[in-house]
C-alpha cells in the first residue's frame, strides 16, 4: 500500500459514519496489540481551543527535550498533520505501512462479526500505533467529538484530563443543552486523576465539578480572570497570568486573539499538574520558549500584508465571537472584506449576525464538503444585512475576487469553515 492508497482507504471508511462508543475501537486495538497502553497521555476535550491548547502543551514539552506525540483533527492542508511527533508530520511511507497493518486487523475484525470501525476509529488506531513505534515520552491527545464515547477515550489513566471552553456544537451527537454537552466532555475524567478546566458557564461547570467529585479526581480551574494583557499587535501578545498563587510574568505567544491568552493559561495549568503531581521536570525557560514557539495554523493567522490577509478556522458561534473581538481590536479603522463559507449544519444565522456587520464587502463561497451550505442559500441570508455581495462558488475564484476588490490598506478575512481555510491556505502559500 502506498500513501495515496492509504488515503483512499481511510476516506472510503467515511461512509460508516460517526458513531460514539468504545466497543469497536477497543476490539480493533486489541487485535493490534493494544498500542495505546503504556502511553503517557495528556487528554484534551472541549468545543473550542482544543488544538491551540494542545499545541501550547506539546511545544513546551518539546522545548524541555522530550519526544512528544500530538494527535489532532481535522487537518488543514495535509492528512499527515493529524499525527505528529516533535512538530513533524508522520512520514507518508510510515502512514502507508501502518494503514496497511490496521486494514488487515479491520478485516479480521469484520470476519469475527464485528461492525466496521468508523473513519475516526481507524485514524485513531493508526495514530496510537505510530506513537507506540516512535516510543514517545508523552502524547498530547485531542478528542475528536465529545469525550465519553470518543475513540480516544480508551485511555484509562491520563496524566491529566484538560477541558477547554464548552459551547454548542455537534448537538445531534452530544445533546442540545450545555449540561448534556458538558457531561459528554467530562467523560474523559478518570478515577483518582487530575483535571484542568477552563472556567465554564455555570451549567457546564457544575457538571464538571460533579463528575470530578464522583471520580475522586482533583480539579483545577484555570485562572483566566487574572490575566493581565501587556501588549497586543499583529506580531503576537505578551501577558501576565497565574497558576494558583504563582505569577507568570511577561509570557509571550505568537497566536492572536485574547482567547489565546486564555488557552495558554489552561495549558499552563495542565503543565503545572505535570510538574506538581507527576514530578515531570519542566524549566521556566522551556515554559517561556515553548509558549513563544507554539504555532497553530489557520487560527487568526496572517498570511500576507498589503492588503493584510487573515485566515481563521472559526466555525461556530464561540469561535466567531473570538474572531470578531480580535478584528475589532486590531483593525478598528480598516476596511474589512469578508470571505465566508459555512457548513449547512452549523448555526449559520447566528454566525452571520456576529460577522457580517463588521464587513464593508462580502464574498460568499462554499467549502469542498458534502455538508456545505450552497452559496445561493448563504446569499439569501446575507442579503438581509444590505452589504455589497459577490458570489463565487469555487474557492480559488473567491480568493481572486477578494484580491480584486481589496485595496492595499484593507484587511481580507477568510472564515466560517475549517474545510475552506485549508484550501485557502494552500492557495495563498503558492499564489504569486
Amino acid at each position: 500500500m502506498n500513501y495515496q492508497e492509504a488515503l483512499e482507504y481511510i476516506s472510503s471508511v467515511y461512509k460508516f459514519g460517526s458513531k460514539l462508543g468504545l466497543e469497536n475501537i477497543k476490539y480493533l486495538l486489541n487485535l493490534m496489540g493494544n498500542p495505546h497502553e503504556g502511553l503517557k497521555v495528556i487528554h484534551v476535550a472541549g468545543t473550542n481551543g482544543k488544538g491551540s491548547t494542545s499545541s501550547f502543551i506539546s511545544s513546551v514539552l518539546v522545548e524541555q527535550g522530550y519526544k512528544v506525540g500530538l494527535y489532532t483533527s481535522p487537518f488543514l492542508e495535509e492528512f499527515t498533520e493529524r499525527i505528529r511527533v516533535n512538530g513533524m508530520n508522520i512520514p507518508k511511507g510510515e502512514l502507508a505501512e501502518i494503514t496497511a497493518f490496521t486494514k488487515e486487523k479491520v478485516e479480521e475484525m469484520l470476519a469475527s462479526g464485528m461492525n466496521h470501525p468508523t473513519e475516526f476509529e481507524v485514524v485513531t488506531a493508526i495514530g496510537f500505533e505510530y506513537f507506540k513505534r516512535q516510543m514517545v515520552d508523552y502524547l498530547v491527545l485531542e478528542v475528536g467529538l465529545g469525550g465519553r464515547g470518543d475513540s480516544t477515550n480508551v485511555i484509562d489513566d491520563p496524566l491529566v484530563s484538560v477541558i477547554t471552553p464548552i459551547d454548542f456544537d455537534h448537538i445531534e451527537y452530544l445533546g442540545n443543552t450545555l449540561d448534556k454537552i458538558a457531561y459528554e466532555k467530562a467523560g474523559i475524567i478518570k478515577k483518582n486523576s487530575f483535571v484542568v478546566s477552563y472556567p465554564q458557564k455555570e451549567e457546564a461547570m457544575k457538571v464538571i465539578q460533579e463528575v470530578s467529585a464522583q471520580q475522586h479526581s482533583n480539579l483545577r480551574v484555570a485562572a483566566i480572570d487574572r490575566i493581565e494583557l501587556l501588549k497586543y499587535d499583529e506580531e503576537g501578545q505578551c501577558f501576565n497570568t497565574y497558576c494558583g498563587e504563582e505569577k507568570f510574568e511577561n509570557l509571550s505567544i505568537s497566536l492572536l486573539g485574547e482567547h489565546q491568552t486564555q488557552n495558554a493559561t489552561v495549558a499552563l495549568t495542565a503543565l503545572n499538574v505535570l510538574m506538581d503531581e507527576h514530578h515531570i521536570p519542566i524549566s521556566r525557560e522551556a515554559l517561556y520558549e515553548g509558549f513563544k514557539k507554539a504555532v497553530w495554523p489557520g487560527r487568526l493567522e496572517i498570511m500576507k500584508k498589503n492588503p493584510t490577509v487573515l485566515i481563521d478556522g472559526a466555525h461556530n458561534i464561540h469561535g466567531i465571537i473570538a474572531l470578531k473581538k480580535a478584528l475589532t481590536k486590531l483593525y478598528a479603522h480598516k476596511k474589512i472584506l469578508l470571505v465566508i463559507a459555512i457548513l449547512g449544519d452549523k448555526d449559520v444565522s447566528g454566525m452571520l449576525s456576529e460577522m457580517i456587520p463588521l464587513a464593508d464587502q462580502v464574498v460568499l463561497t462554499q467549502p469542498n464538503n458534502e455538508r456545505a451550505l450552497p452559496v445561493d442559500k448563504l446569499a439569501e441570508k446575507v442579503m438581509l444585512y444590505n452589504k455589497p455581495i459577490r458570489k463565487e462558488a469555487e474557492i480559488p475564484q473567491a480568493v481572486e475576487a477578494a484580491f480584486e476588490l481589496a485595496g492595499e490598506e484593507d484587511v481580507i478575512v477568510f472564515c466560517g469553515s475549517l474545510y475552506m481555510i485549508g484550501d485557502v491556505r494552500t492557495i495563498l502559500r503558492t499564489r504569486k
Side-chain angles (χ1 to χ4, degrees):
M1 181 181 277
N2 63 29
Y3 175 64
Q4 202 49 47
E5 288 164 342
L7 290 189
E8 283 163 14
Y9 169 68
I10 291 165
S11 64
S12 75
V13 179
Y14 184 78
K15 62 178 177 283
F16 295 101
S18 186
K19 297 186 205 81
L20 296 179
L22 301 178
E23 186 187 7
N24 259 11
I25 183 72
K26 282 182 173 175
Y27 197 95
L28 174 57
L29 289 170
N30 191 45
L31 289 175
M32 293 170 70
N34 293 313
H36 61 300
E37 290 181 356
L39 292 171
K40 292 177 180 171
V41 172
I42 295 97
H43 203 183
V44 184
T47 308
N48 291 292
K50 293 195 297 281
S52 307
T53 303
S54 298
S55 180
F56 284 127
I57 295 169
S58 168
S59 183
V60 168
L61 291 171
V62 170
E63 195 61 31
Q64 182 62 38
Y66 298 115
K67 191 173 190 182
V68 185
L70 178 61
Y71 181 70
T72 58
S73 59
F75 64 93
L76 277 183
E77 298 179 82
E78 284 229 78
F79 179 85
T80 52
E81 294 165 26
R82 294 179 64 174
I83 300 167
R84 278 175 279 179
V85 171
N86 282 19
M88 303 297 290
N89 297 357
I90 179 173
K92 292 178 178 179
E94 286 208 56
L95 179 78
E97 186 196 330
I98 294 173
T99 302
F101 167 67
T102 307
K103 182 172 182 265
E104 278 173 30
K105 301 304 175 187
V106 168
E107 283 159 5
E108 280 180 41
M109 189 174 166
L110 299 177
S112 67
M114 291 292 288
N115 288 328
H116 200 296
T118 65
E119 181 188 30
F120 191 75
E121 286 168 334
V122 168
V123 178
T124 302
I126 291 167
F128 282 140
E129 180 66 24
Y130 180 63
F131 298 129
K132 177 194 168 187
R133 291 185 186 189
Q134 286 291 307
M135 295 188 290
V136 295
D137 296 314
Y138 300 103
L139 168 59
V140 184
L141 182 68
E142 186 194 301
V143 167
L145 180 63
R148 182 170 309 281
D150 185 80
S151 56
T152 63
N153 206 29
V154 292
I155 297 298
D156 290 327
D157 55 347
L159 298 174
V160 59
S161 301
V162 182
I163 303 176
T164 67
I166 293 172
D167 216 318
F168 293 98
D169 210 359
H170 304 295
I171 57 176
E172 67 277 27
Y173 296 106
L174 306 179
N176 57 1
T177 62
L178 267 190
D179 55 343
K180 282 181 183 168
I181 295 169
Y183 178 73
E184 292 303 322
K185 307 282 184 193
I188 69 165
I189 299 172
K190 303 301 193 306
K191 276 201 187 318
N192 305 313
S193 64
F194 298 94
V195 188
V196 165
S197 179
Y198 173 92
Q200 313 289 349
K201 289 173 186 162
E202 190 181 349
E203 57 268 53
M205 200 68 239
K206 188 165 174 260
V207 172
I208 290 167
Q209 287 164 337
E210 284 170 358
V211 174
S212 297
Q214 286 159 10
Q215 295 284 48
H216 304 290
S217 289
N218 179 301
L219 171 65
R220 296 186 189 188
V221 180
I224 69 161
D225 56 328
R226 299 179 74 185
I227 295 169
E228 300 156 8
L229 192 59
L230 305 174
K231 179 185 86 78
Y232 185 1
D233 57 28
E234 286 185 324
E235 304 308 312
Q237 306 177 75
C238 182
F239 60 102
N240 299 335
T241 193
Y242 284 83
C243 227
E245 288 313 304
E246 191 177 0
K247 188 174 185 180
F248 291 81
E249 296 189 81
N250 296 305
L251 266 177
S252 289
I253 57 173
S254 65
L255 277 65
L256 300 178
E258 275 187 65
H259 59 290
Q260 294 294 6
T261 65
Q262 298 173 359
N263 291 335
T265 301
V266 172
L268 180 65
T269 310
L271 289 159
N272 246 46
V273 168
L274 300 184
M275 291 185 277
D276 292 352
E277 308 297 344
H278 298 290
H279 312 295
I280 294 167
I282 302 170
S283 69
R284 274 282 171 136
E285 189 185 2
L287 271 175
Y288 276 75
E289 278 301 303
F291 278 113
K292 198 181 288 183
K293 289 179 182 174
V295 291
W296 194 235
R299 279 69 173 184
L300 273 164
E301 183 181 12
I302 295 171
M303 298 294 297
K304 289 185 184 291
K305 294 284 184 72
N306 308 318
T308 298
V309 181
L310 186 146
I311 63 173
D312 189 73
H315 56 282
N316 55 34
I317 283 285
H318 190 276
I320 285 287
I321 289 171
L323 169 61
K324 177 183 166 182
K325 266 189 186 168
L327 293 176
T328 307
K329 199 170 181 92
L330 285 169
Y331 305 116
H333 306 296
K334 297 260 189 178
K335 182 181 164 192
I336 291 179
L337 190 143
L338 182 67
V339 186
I340 193 161
I342 304 179
L343 295 181
D345 55 5
K346 298 292 180 181
D347 178 3
V348 178
S349 298
M351 289 165 70
L352 295 177
S353 71
E354 295 292 342
M355 280 306 291
I356 302 298
L358 278 189
D360 295 279
Q361 171 119 27
V362 187
V363 176
L364 305 176
T365 187
Q366 59 194 58
N368 293 317
N369 186 284
E370 64 282 350
R371 286 153 48 213
L373 184 68
V375 74
D376 288 333
K377 290 249 189 269
L378 184 58
E380 285 171 21
K381 293 179 181 288
V382 176
M383 276 171 191
L384 305 173
Y385 294 90
N386 298 316
K387 299 280 183 177
I389 292 173
R390 178 146 159 194
K391 295 188 292 184
E392 295 287 354
E394 300 296 323
I395 289 171
Q397 279 78 357
V399 173
E400 291 314 312
F403 279 99
E404 198 181 296
L405 294 165
E408 283 208 355
E409 297 299 309
D410 299 341
V411 181
I412 302 172
V413 179
F414 292 89
C415 72
S417 164
L418 270 172
Y419 294 98
M420 171 185 72
I421 293 306
D423 289 344
V424 169
R425 194 171 192 274
T426 304
I427 292 165
L428 291 173
R429 281 196 305 103
T430 53
R431 188 178 183 275
K432 292 284 183 285

